[in-house]
Amino acid sequence: LFTITVRKKMDKVSYVGNADVSAIDHLYKMYLQDPESVDIGWQKFFEGFDFARTSFDEGGIPENFQKEIKVVNLINGYRNRGHLFTRTNPVRERRKYAPTLAIENFGLEEADLDTIFQAGEEIGIGPSSLRVIISELEDTYCESIGIEYMYIREPGHIDWFKNHIELKNRPVYDANRKKEIYRKLAITSGFESFLGKKFVGQKRFSVEGLEVLVPALDALVQKGSDKGVEQFVVGMAHKGRLNTLTNIIEKRPRDIFAEFEGKEFETDERFDGDVKYHQGFTSFIKAENGKDVTLTLSPNPSHLEAVNPVVEGIARAKVDNVLRNDAKKICPVLIHGDAAIAGQGVVYETIQMAQLDGYKTGGTIHIVTNNQVGFTTNYLDARSSTYCTDVAKTTLCPVFHVNGDDIEAVVQVMELAIEYRQHFNSDIFIDLLGYRKYGHNEGDEPKFTQPNLYSLIAKHPNPRDIYFKQLETEGVMSKADAKKMMDDYNAYLEDEFAESRKREKALVYDFLSDAWEGYRHGKVEDFIQSLEKSFLETLQSTFRSL
């Protein structure tokens, strides 16, 4: 701050810097002997010089300016390292990092807490006490949301984040919006409970422990539609896939229930009978703003991240051939596992190609369903990096880390992420921290390999109950409201279940059937004949030219 002030002042007297130093020194000595012996302009200049010498301390910088600089350093410390000291883990304490953000580490002390500092301007709150400045920084950088963005090299991107997260510009939700968020969370939890009761012992790769994924995707779709997105293409592995299919992609529950019944598929020779949590689907929905949105979930076998380039390819093909090169109209969404994003090379390969002319898709939303364990391995034994998302830093992509028990924080992050993507055409990562209620699937016993973690999980309330208590305290919802919501949804699922029992065969849905409408499947014989015809035509043309 002092340097900037001096520089601004010196801009007005640039002639001083251009003058002969020895000549100025001679004039100053004359001034000291007799002020009237020099021109009036120099008299005033030397008066100011003497005033500065008597008012400033020996170091040349007044003490209050030194403290201001230290407060600015503290602010930047929160921006750079605040994510290390957040409350983003819902079930266990975070690792400890040093040095901390204690004021002593920045040359400040307790006696400074009630001093007013101009540095409050830096975070948009105006001159404020150090105590208030720290409170604002804690709320912004060290609660349920952690943010990594200061390594980005484009100043405009950094300023965008400061303006959206530091100046009280994060979204705030009214009672109706909160009820809708709760409803989405409740039906996510309700769907898993229904499957668990109706299909005991069957694998479903439940989303429980990370139920917030579904409301998060809903927020992404709704906000994306507001920002001009017409199509979403989603890739994910099997964890939480069935819930995403029914509560986001809008596949009818009856179709999923029929697959659980083990019924034969409506099939032909081209279908190999892939399991229910591998299949894709496409739907056409109305967003809350009345706009049409196309949602596509790409098929994906048990190869986790193998779907990433497939999703990017679908998106790029639509940009080139359907959307007149307008990438803002389509948004790829990749849902990663925490162990897979850190461990599979295809993730890095896909991210590294994100800005190449031949492959760019206008930015991808990367969501990590972080359940803190890879199959049976604790995250401390699974990677060397601090975060599973550290691959994002190779291409300078920002990262949000968010507590999966704080549903409103999750929704805020999703809305900010799609705004950033639409504004900068850049990838962005959201690390959703939760847990896995059961083992790798519902047939595993996770306490064999993670006894401490699963002792904590067994006592932990689910996100729906946590959010209901918040809404009840705020006077937004009552127990009767919540019960009616769940009773209505369970009645709907019972009707769908009854319909599924009447079906003789399970549905097979070609997720690209609408895109390829009017085309027929080619046969191998037809392909060979076309090659032979093309080859003969080429030979004839060559002979004619000779």
Side-chain angles (χ1 to χ4, degrees):
L1 290 175
F2 177 71
T3 303
I4 293 170
T5 302
V6 172
R7 187 177 298 135
K8 288 180 178 178
K9 297 295 185 185
M10 288 301 293
D11 286 344
K12 298 179 181 179
V13 290
S14 58
Y15 59 86
V16 177
N18 296 330
D20 187 300
V21 177
S22 58
I24 296 175
D25 183 58
H26 176 70
L27 287 170
Y28 182 56
K29 288 175 180 177
M30 289 174 59
Y31 167 80
L32 291 176
Q33 292 178 354
D34 179 12
E36 298 298 327
S37 64
V38 298
D39 181 77
I40 185 65
W42 285 109
Q43 286 182 36
K44 296 300 181 185
F45 177 80
F46 292 135
E47 284 176 11
F49 177 69
D50 286 344
F51 174 78
R53 292 182 67 190
T54 57
S55 298
F56 288 6
D57 60 13
E58 291 183 1
I61 302 177
E63 184 180 357
N64 64 318
F65 270 80
Q66 291 182 25
K67 291 279 181 143
E68 290 281 0
I69 292 169
K70 290 173 181 177
V71 175
V72 170
N73 289 338
L74 175 67
I75 291 170
N76 285 325
Y78 272 90
R79 288 169 174 166
N80 280 290
R81 304 183 70 247
H83 59 87
L84 296 172
F85 307 100
T86 56
R87 297 174 177 85
T88 49
N89 196 316
V91 289
R92 52 184 169 185
E93 289 292 319
R94 291 204 57 182
R95 287 178 281 181
K96 305 300 181 184
Y97 296 92
T100 67
L101 296 172
I103 58 175
E104 293 78 14
N105 293 327
F106 295 87
L108 298 163
E109 54 193 8
E110 191 172 345
D112 299 317
L113 287 173
D114 293 313
T115 302
I116 302 298
F117 289 98
Q118 299 298 316
E121 297 278 5
E122 177 69 11
I123 57 173
I125 62 174
S128 304
S129 69
L130 179 58
R131 194 184 304 276
V132 170
I133 291 171
I134 292 172
S135 177
E136 289 289 323
L137 292 169
E138 286 284 327
D139 288 345
T140 299
Y141 290 105
C142 297
E143 290 296 330
S144 294
I145 300 172
I147 310 155
E148 295 184 273
Y149 69 99
M150 289 296 286
Y151 47 76
I152 301 175
R153 292 178 189 146
E154 293 86 353
H157 291 228
I158 292 176
D159 288 342
W160 188 93
F161 273 102
K162 290 178 183 177
N163 291 333
H164 282 75
I165 63 179
E166 289 184 352
L167 304 181
K168 301 293 186 183
N169 284 338
R170 290 187 188 177
V172 178
Y173 307 114
D174 61 20
N176 289 333
R177 182 76 172 101
K178 291 184 177 193
K179 287 178 182 178
E180 180 55 28
I181 293 171
Y182 176 81
R183 188 189 72 82
K184 209 69 180 179
L185 192 58
I187 65 174
T188 302
S189 179
F191 183 73
E192 295 294 351
S193 297
F194 191 87
L195 289 180
K197 287 185 289 187
K198 295 295 185 182
F199 306 104
V200 179
Q202 290 204 44
K203 295 179 184 179
R204 53 191 164 95
F205 293 97
S206 161
V207 77
E208 288 167 281
L210 272 163
E211 291 96 328
V212 291
L213 173 65
V214 175
L217 289 172
D218 182 63
L220 185 71
V221 171
Q222 301 302 334
K223 189 68 172 183
S225 178
D226 289 340
K227 294 295 178 180
V229 181
E230 298 175 358
Q231 300 188 41
F232 287 88
V233 185
V234 183
M236 66 185 299
H238 36 279
K239 179 70 70 175
R241 189 181 187 89
L242 296 181
N243 216 308
T244 301
L245 274 168
T246 188
N247 286 317
I248 296 295
I249 311 295
E250 297 190 357
K251 182 175 182 178
R252 292 295 293 264
R254 65 182 65 175
D255 297 327
I256 294 173
F257 298 155
E259 294 166 19
F260 271 101
E261 295 282 355
K263 294 181 178 180
E264 182 182 351
F265 284 99
E266 296 174 348
T267 186
D268 57 29
E269 70 276 7
R270 291 186 299 277
F271 183 70
D272 64 3
D274 208 359
V275 295
K276 51 191 165 292
Y277 36 78
H278 292 169
Q279 291 186 54
F281 202 79
T282 293
S283 62
F284 307 91
I285 70 166
K286 283 276 186 191
E288 291 173 1
N289 59 18
K291 295 181 181 178
D292 295 322
V293 180
T294 301
L295 305 176
T296 294
L297 179 66
S298 174
N300 188 24
S302 293
H303 300 297
L304 304 179
E305 305 292 335
V307 75
N308 296 0
V310 176
V311 166
E312 301 294 348
I314 292 170
R316 179 55 186 258
K318 291 194 172 189
V319 169
D320 288 346
N321 300 304
V322 179
L323 301 174
R324 300 177 182 271
N325 296 314
D326 187 354
K328 290 186 184 297
K329 291 184 177 179
I330 189 167
C331 181
V333 180
L334 294 178
I335 302 172
H336 310 272
D338 54 311
I341 192 174
Q344 289 198 253
V346 67
V347 178
Y348 174 80
E349 293 164 5
T350 304
I351 293 168
Q352 191 61 268
M353 298 167 77
Q355 293 301 324
L356 300 182
D357 287 342
Y359 300 91
K360 63 174 64 173
T361 56
T364 299
I365 304 291
H366 298 267
I367 304 171
V368 180
T369 51
N370 189 341
N371 54 39
Q372 308 183 55
V373 59
F375 193 42
T376 61
T377 307
N378 189 293
Y379 71 94
L380 292 172
D381 299 316
R383 62 176 185 266
S384 300
S385 60
T386 301
Y387 296 113
C388 62
T389 52
D390 279 348
V391 65
K393 296 170 187 171
T394 62
T395 51
L396 306 179
C397 297
V399 181
F400 282 106
H401 305 278
V402 58
N403 189 322
D405 275 355
D406 189 342
I407 180 61
E408 289 187 20
V410 172
V411 172
Q412 286 179 358
V413 162
M414 299 310 298
E415 293 183 352
L416 288 170
I418 190 65
E419 284 190 50
Y420 178 86
R421 187 266 179 186
Q422 290 296 89
H423 189 75
F424 291 109
N425 298 320
S426 171
D427 286 22
I428 186 167
F429 288 69
I430 301 98
D431 180 16
L432 282 180
L433 281 105
Y435 52 93
R436 191 180 66 189
K437 186 172 181 180
Y438 304 107
H440 174 64
N441 61 55
E442 287 67 29
D444 295 333
E445 176 46 74
K447 281 191 176 181
F448 289 142
T449 55
Q450 300 294 332
N452 294 334
L453 174 61
Y454 275 87
S455 293
L456 294 172
I457 290 172
K459 305 169 189 173
H460 194 75
N462 68 46
R464 178 187 68 186
D465 295 338
I466 292 171
Y467 192 45
F468 172 74
K469 285 184 179 179
Q470 176 189 326
L471 298 187
E472 187 180 37
T473 301
E474 294 174 357
V476 172
M477 285 190 72
S478 66
K479 290 180 181 177
D481 295 332
K483 183 177 184 304
K484 183 179 186 311
M485 192 178 288
M486 287 311 302
D487 287 347
D488 291 346
Y489 184 65
N490 283 326
Y492 164 70
L493 291 180
E494 288 288 357
D495 289 342
E496 291 288 292
F497 181 70
E499 287 298 320
S500 73
R501 303 296 294 271
K502 298 175 184 177
R503 288 192 170 184
E504 294 183 5
K505 293 186 177 182
L507 173 72
V508 175
Y509 183 81
D510 183 349
F511 81 111
L512 288 177
S513 59
D514 295 285
W516 290 103
E517 188 174 1
Y519 293 84
R520 65 177 177 82
H521 286 274
K523 296 181 179 179
V524 175
E525 309 89 82
D526 295 338
F527 178 64
I528 294 173
Q529 288 178 9
S530 68
L531 284 179
E532 291 174 345
K533 181 180 178 182
S534 176
F535 179 67
L536 289 173
E537 288 174 350
T538 302
L539 282 178
Q540 291 171 356
S541 175
T542 302
F543 280 121
R544 278 197 294 269
S545 64
L546 292 174

